[in-house]
Amino acid sequence: MNFIIGANWKMYGTVPKASDFLEELLALGSRSVRSDLVLFAPFTLLPLIGETAAAAGIELGGQDLFWEDEGAFTGEVSPGMLREAGATWFLAGHSERRHVIGESDGTVRKKLSKGLQRGLKGILCVGELLEEREAGRTEEVVKGQIRSALEGLETASAENLVIAYEPVWAIGTGLTATPGEAQRMHSLIREWVEGIRGVAFASGLRIQYGGSVKPDNAGDILSRPSVNGALVGGASLRSDSFWAIVRSVPDGE
Ligand code: 13P
């Protein structure tokens, strides 16, 4: 299975910046890597950078979506709108949506389900808060997030679903789970998914790590057997550091 490396730009970026980023990646050789590369840019940028992204061999994703096709939902963006804007991927349940905006597990489930039904590929983000980790609740929290999102989910196949394990205390802090901790959580996640969706689905599922992934720690994290990619925030805002992370994918992938 290909590794998947995502650049989550959050609420950063302009059209010129995104165009430069994509052109620089093309010049660095982005078309020749085997990994799937996805840029999760702010909604407003997506329709304006599609051609440059396609030339660079990079797919586009929305950072969120809404669970209805249309209607009186001020400020929201539907899966169809995202597709029209050029996105093929979306994020569901990023920790900033859960903990800054206040999205519940139920909301995340509706978004994931609808986005997949409408033909987009989804990344379900899960992860524990620092206080949950300190209280020894990491496994309970992450397992709960996964069960809530995946149990009874109708249309998912392991090709169009990815799970990103992003411990919240590691996001934007410079702290990371050790490669050993990431490996342990990823193999637990695969086990839980197997319990919910069966062995074929679980073994085909890609699990990314996210949280302060940088050029100097990416190689160690990505070389763990249960780690199938990375979801990168801060270090994805520049083409040189993002490219260094892409190049850290173990040989042969
Ligand atoms: P940082 O890489 O900035 O810690 O962000 C991680 C993240 O939230 C990716 O979705």
Side-chain angles (χ1 to χ4, degrees), residues 8 10 94 96 166 170-173 210-214 231-235:
N8 177 8
K10 310 189 179 185
H94 189 277
E96 286 139 24
E166 302 199 289
I171 294 179
T173 58
S212 297
V213 175
K214 307 286 179 207
L231 189 54
V232 187

Side-chain angles (χ1 to χ4, degrees), residues 178-188 221 223-227:
T178 64
E181 283 172 329
Q183 165 62 24
R184 187 177 153 275
M185 276 307 289
H186 283 219
S187 58
L188 280 172
I221 294 169
S223 66
R224 303 293 154 145
S226 296
V227 178

Side-chain angles (χ1 to χ4, degrees), residues 93-113:
H94 189 277
S95 74
E96 286 139 24
R97 303 287 323 166
R98 293 179 189 266
H99 300 298
V100 181
I101 315 291
E103 287 186 7
S104 66
D105 279 346
T107 298
V108 174
R109 178 194 170 81
K110 284 198 275 189
K111 291 183 171 189
L112 183 68
S113 168

